[in-house]
Amino acid sequence: MSLETYFRALSYAMIASATLALVLAGGLHIVLAIVFFACMGVAWKLEGTRWQLSERMGLVIVLLSIPLFILDWYYQKSIGEPDGRLGVNALAHLIIFLAAVKLVQVKKNRDWVFLYLISFFSILLAAGLSLSPVFLASLTLYLLFGLSTIIAFEILKSKQSVAPSETRLLVAPDSRIFKNVSRRSKRNAEAGRLPGVAVVLLVLIFVLALPLFLIAPRTGASMLSRSGGGLTNLIGFSETVSLGEIGSLKKDNAVVMHIRLDELRLGQDLRWRGVALDEFNGRSWKKSSIARGATEKKNDKGLIPIGYTEALDRLTSQTVFLEAVETPVIFAASRPVAIRSDFPSLWVDGEDSVQRRRPGLGRVMYKALSDMTRPDVSVLRSDDGRDPASFERYKQLPARLDPRIEARTNAIVVNAQARNRYDIAKAIESQLQLDYGYSLEMKASGPDPLADFLFNIKSGHCEYFSTAMAVMLRTRGIPARVVNGFLPGEYNDAAGAYTVRQSDAHSWVEVYFPENRAWVTFDPTPIAGRIEPVHLGLTAQLGKYAAAFELFWFQYVVGYDQQEQRSLAASLNTQLFSFRHSLTRTISGISNAVVANSQVVILIGAAIVGILILFFVGDRVRRFGWRRGLSIKGAQASDDHSSVVFFEKLMTLLARRGMQRDSHLTPLEFASSLDFHAALTVTRAYNRVRFGGQKLSPAEIREIERTLNELEGATEQ
């Protein structure tokens, strides 16, 4: 492949990769992309033929594209294009149209530059439309082709600016003076080296850019929106939830969030709390007027205080990567104490649920600090304090409650011989888990779906179990409320994080213990409704790594801010300290071992030095033969230095014979002007090595030495 063909192929590849990035970002329809790629194929076939558009015709078509762009803009507006994307499609269409016109016309250097600018605009547009890690792959591909193209472009421009007559005197057109020199042309050697050079430059760019990226000050990066809409069907996390809505949510497998724990202590009951509801009317749960009252918690230097804890070592830190969801709820492990984020403020309602002021359609990242400690069972069993007067709402029952529910509750308590609040709650929890089945089917119905579930259907999903337990506890005068949130989700060991999906939505019960002033979690749902399915096979493993990379991309690219900078710096500092400590111990151990076994170390060192000397001598003998390889003066290698030495020796010998080179003559012109074949032989070898990038073989070096020796002998005579 010639350099010209190589350059043209790289240019086409650069434009194609930019178009691909635009397609992956959602800025160009796949059908238009296919048409454009077909146009590229036609343009490639037309290169150098008379069927290409002339420059004048191409300019006319480009000017006509301006009113077409305006018409396309108004068309996009007329079909209801969203304000955030108004004109994006029209701009993408204009870019692709201009690129297609330039590809099929006769191209000079300025036309190639115009095409490169168009491809760069395509990449910029794609960057504004997508925050996906897929964009990184397309950008890397574009940079690789772009670097190779620019290098080839500059080489071609340099060749165009140098006349062939100027290069004739630098390198000999043939090398007949040496019999064993290859006659194969080297004129396309640079094309074969360009891909490697481009890869090295690309790696160098990333290496140099990474430190700048990690230290560059950025704010508000953790609240960037992603392309596409949010999870609009995330029901069950509002102020009113009908019985059965959580079951509908569990049928969807869409990802809601990823959560990474800094440390999980043994015995912690892990689940992600969302909203708590305190009022039940027999068919739905809702927040009472008291519960709806919320207190604003303002951001203080990146930290929003939510609650309290008795000791800092009780806190569990979680980093939450929340997808675009249409709910203001902030999810965290039970009893959040503080939130680290860029939110200006958060709101905490009367049920200890944390919310933003309004829902957003952007991905958000925040860190939650939760006190997940739970009082000992013995302490809870001895808790017989009186409930606060304001807690009567947690004992409220529906106006028309089936009397069988209270009778069933009393029977469970009597059979379990439960005499305190904790034992009563555990007895009801265990009975519901054992006597009822788990199902996502909405079978319970009628005017009293709870009674239908308990006495007829006897199967349902988590919402029925939590409602049944809360109502049963209330019939015994025990404060209880229903909480809607999520189970831990599937742990991704590649990402070190939990992947929480809509199918992990869950409902459980919190029971109040007055002396401890604590809401304690109970979960009456059978174990079948709380087991995370196990995904095996190659596809599942690849999915884990893809999710891990996307999580890394979101944390350190999309959501990277000053908080992440401090966290990363602290982590690197800790790892550096550990490495220095380990290195110090290793060096100390080696030093002690050397002192204790000094004689053995000396023998080993001497053996290593001997082996290196033998290897060095053997290599010299292989390259230069026994006589020159073992010479103390050393053998001269076939490199630039040896060729310079040969040429200088030639000039010295010629000067002795009265032949001086004028300053306006090149070495080859001077040698050609002499009727002296030996001078021409050595000068051509000098030019081949110095300017042609070739190497001299040992045989060629010996031939040059023989020629110079003959010339020296003739000069002395």
Side-chain angles (χ1 to χ4, degrees):
M1 179 186 295
S2 66
L3 182 61
E4 290 77 8
T5 304
Y6 181 80
F7 159 73
R8 190 165 68 249
L10 282 176
S11 300
Y12 275 68
M14 178 181 176
I15 298 166
S17 62
T19 306
L20 179 63
L22 195 57
V23 173
L24 295 176
L28 187 67
H29 197 277
I30 184 64
V31 175
L32 290 178
I34 293 174
V35 172
F36 177 74
F37 290 140
C39 181
M40 291 185 67
V42 173
W44 178 272
K45 288 292 185 180
L46 295 180
E47 286 286 347
T49 67
R50 62 187 181 88
W51 299 104
Q52 285 185 286
L53 293 177
S54 64
E55 288 188 83
R56 180 174 297 180
M57 181 61 67
L59 179 60
V60 171
I61 297 176
V62 168
L63 293 176
L64 289 176
S65 66
I66 298 177
L68 292 177
F69 167 70
I70 297 175
L71 291 176
D72 192 13
W73 182 294
Y74 281 105
Y75 171 73
Q76 300 295 333
K77 187 175 182 180
S78 66
I79 62 176
E81 186 74 16
D83 292 339
R85 289 179 58 91
L86 183 60
V88 171
N89 289 340
L91 183 59
H93 297 163
L94 176 64
I95 290 175
I96 295 302
F97 180 77
L98 293 177
V101 172
K102 283 295 180 181
L103 282 171
V104 297
Q105 79 165 54
V106 177
K107 290 178 285 295
K108 296 183 178 179
N109 287 345
R110 61 175 177 269
D111 299 305
W112 286 117
V113 172
F114 184 83
L115 283 168
Y116 302 154
L117 290 175
I118 288 178
S119 68
F120 182 68
F121 289 145
S122 299
I123 284 291
L124 287 181
L125 186 58
L129 292 173
S130 174
L131 296 175
S132 169
V134 175
F135 173 73
L136 177 62
S138 59
L139 176 62
T140 303
L141 190 66
Y142 174 79
L143 289 176
L144 178 61
F145 289 136
L147 287 172
S148 301
T149 302
I150 292 172
I151 296 171
F153 183 65
E154 290 300 321
I155 293 176
L156 282 177
K157 284 180 60 180
S158 300
K159 282 191 171 184
Q160 293 170 1
S161 62
V162 179
S165 60
E166 297 177 2
T167 62
R168 179 180 57 82
L169 297 175
L170 295 177
V171 182
D174 60 64
S175 52
R176 288 175 294 174
I177 58 172
F178 301 118
K179 298 180 180 179
N180 59 342
V181 175
S182 173
R183 300 177 183 271
R184 185 169 55 91
S185 174
K186 303 292 184 181
R187 63 188 179 89
N188 294 323
E190 62 269 29
R193 292 194 295 267
L194 285 182
V197 174
V199 171
V200 172
L201 288 176
L202 183 62
V203 173
L204 185 62
I205 288 173
F206 276 107
V207 170
L208 294 177
L210 182 61
L212 296 176
F213 173 81
L214 294 177
I215 65 175
R218 297 190 295 281
T219 58
S222 62
M223 299 188 69
L224 297 175
S225 60
R226 85 186 281 203
S227 60
L231 301 176
T232 58
N233 60 338
L234 193 62
I235 56 177
F237 297 95
S238 59
E239 293 186 351
T240 301
V241 180
S242 299
L243 197 61
E245 285 186 347
I246 292 291
S248 301
L249 183 65
K250 290 178 72 66
K251 295 180 180 179
D252 196 328
N253 209 35
V255 175
V256 176
M257 55 188 165
H258 301 273
I259 300 180
R260 178 179 289 134
L261 290 179
D262 290 349
E263 179 183 3
L264 179 62
R265 298 178 177 86
L266 295 177
Q268 287 181 327
D269 187 17
L270 191 60
R271 61 192 71 216
W272 317 117
R273 194 178 191 273
V275 298
L277 307 171
D278 62 334
E279 187 174 313
F280 182 62
N281 62 10
R283 301 187 65 86
S284 63
W285 285 92
K286 70 175 184 178
K287 291 182 181 180
S288 64
S289 58
I290 298 176
R292 284 196 296 269
T295 303
E296 185 179 13
K297 305 289 186 178
K298 294 188 176 181
N299 194 319
D300 182 14
K301 298 180 180 179
L303 184 68
I304 304 176
I306 303 298
Y308 64 91
T309 183
E310 295 181 2
L312 292 178
D313 59 358
R314 289 186 173 188
L315 297 180
T316 298
S317 176
Q318 319 120 62
T319 303
V320 182
F321 308 88
L322 184 63
E323 296 288 338
V325 293
E326 286 190 353
T327 177
V329 176
I330 294 296
F331 298 95
S334 296
R335 277 212 338 111
V337 174
I339 302 292
R340 288 188 178 273
S341 72
D342 290 334
F343 301 126
S345 63
L346 293 174
W347 297 80
V348 182
D349 64 14
E351 304 302 331
D352 303 319
S353 300
V354 185
Q355 300 181 4
R356 292 174 280 175
R357 189 60 179 172
R358 59 179 61 87
L361 288 180
R363 275 178 162 178
V364 295
M365 183 179 69
Y366 56 89
K367 289 193 174 183
L369 301 173
S370 301
D371 185 352
M372 300 173 61
T373 56
R374 174 172 171 158
D376 292 335
V377 173
S378 59
V379 175
L380 295 176
R381 281 199 171 106
S382 63
D383 191 329
D384 57 355
R386 301 184 64 178
D387 299 315
S390 60
F391 275 38
E392 288 300 315
R393 70 181 190 272
Y394 298 116
K395 303 176 184 178
Q396 167 266 338
L397 292 168
R400 296 181 179 178
L401 182 67
D402 192 313
R404 292 179 296 174
I405 295 178
E406 183 174 359
R408 179 65 186 276
T409 304
N410 292 333
I412 292 174
V413 173
V414 170
N415 290 337
Q417 298 180 356
R419 295 181 176 84
N420 57 72
R421 185 172 300 199
Y422 177 81
D423 287 339
I424 291 174
K426 287 300 291 183
I428 296 174
E429 178 188 57
S430 300
Q431 202 68 38
L432 289 172
Q433 291 175 350
L434 294 174
D435 291 352
Y436 294 83
Y438 182 81
S439 174
L440 287 178
E441 299 297 326
M442 301 258 309
K443 298 179 180 179
S445 59
D448 192 345
L450 178 59
D452 192 34
F453 162 71
L454 285 173
F455 303 109
N456 297 324
I457 305 301
K458 295 187 177 183
S459 69
H461 55 77
C462 57
E463 207 172 351
Y464 289 99
F465 287 94
S466 60
T467 299
M469 181 173 180
V471 171
M472 286 180 168
L473 288 170
R474 290 184 176 190
T475 63
R476 301 286 300 187
I478 299 175
R481 62 189 181 191
V482 167
V483 178
N484 291 340
F486 290 90
L487 292 169
E490 181 183 9
Y491 184 73
N492 186 339
D493 51 4
Y498 291 91
T499 299
V500 184
R501 306 177 185 276
Q502 290 189 194
S503 56
D504 295 312
H506 195 57
S507 182
W508 60 90
V509 178
E510 288 182 347
V511 181
Y512 188 71
F513 289 81
E515 287 186 357
N516 291 273
R517 291 186 298 177
W519 287 95
V520 179
T521 297
F522 292 86
D523 194 343
T525 302
I527 191 65
R530 290 179 281 146
I531 295 179
E532 186 71 30
V534 179
H535 299 94
L536 301 175
L538 179 60
T539 303
Q541 292 298 320
L542 293 177
K544 282 186 176 183
Y545 287 109
F549 180 71
E550 185 173 6
L551 189 60
F552 174 84
W553 174 266
F554 182 45
Q555 180 174 3
Y556 292 109
V557 179
V558 178
Y560 189 76
D561 56 10
Q562 291 181 348
Q563 178 180 325
E564 283 300 318
Q565 286 177 334
R566 291 190 294 268
S567 177
L568 183 60
S571 176
L572 291 176
N573 186 49
T574 301
Q575 294 181 11
L576 181 60
F577 177 79
S578 300
F579 173 75
R580 289 170 56 189
H581 182 65
S582 301
L583 183 61
T584 302
R585 290 195 304 174
T586 302
I587 294 176
S588 177
I590 294 175
S591 177
N592 294 334
V594 169
V595 172
N597 303 278
S598 57
Q599 294 182 350
V600 176
V601 172
I602 292 174
L603 291 176
I604 294 176
I608 294 175
V609 171
I611 292 173
L612 292 176
I613 292 174
L614 289 175
F615 176 80
F616 176 73
V617 171
D619 182 65
R620 287 174 59 86
V621 170
R622 180 183 62 82
R623 293 170 58 192
F624 305 111
W626 286 99
R627 184 171 61 86
R628 297 179 68 243
L630 297 177
S631 174
I632 298 177
K633 296 181 179 180
Q636 297 188 12
S638 56
D639 54 10
D640 286 359
H641 177 72
S642 64
S643 65
V644 171
V645 172
F646 292 150
F647 184 71
E648 289 177 350
K649 186 174 182 179
L650 173 67
M651 292 296 102
T652 301
L653 294 175
L654 292 177
R656 292 179 185 176
R657 303 183 68 170
M659 304 176 187
Q660 296 285 348
R661 180 169 69 91
D662 295 334
S663 59
H664 68 276
L665 294 177
T666 65
L668 194 58
E669 286 177 331
F670 172 64
S672 300
S673 65
L674 303 175
D675 188 15
F676 197 50
H677 181 71
L680 187 61
T681 299
V682 177
T683 303
R684 283 178 172 175
Y686 167 74
N687 281 344
R688 285 178 52 235
V689 175
R690 188 68 181 272
F691 304 108
Q694 300 181 13
K695 299 291 184 180
L696 299 182
S697 67
E700 293 169 345
I701 294 175
R702 288 193 294 270
E703 178 69 17
I704 290 176
E705 288 180 342
R706 186 186 62 79
T707 302
L708 292 176
N709 290 335
E710 291 177 356
L711 178 60
E712 185 176 11
T715 302
E716 292 176 353
Q717 293 175 0

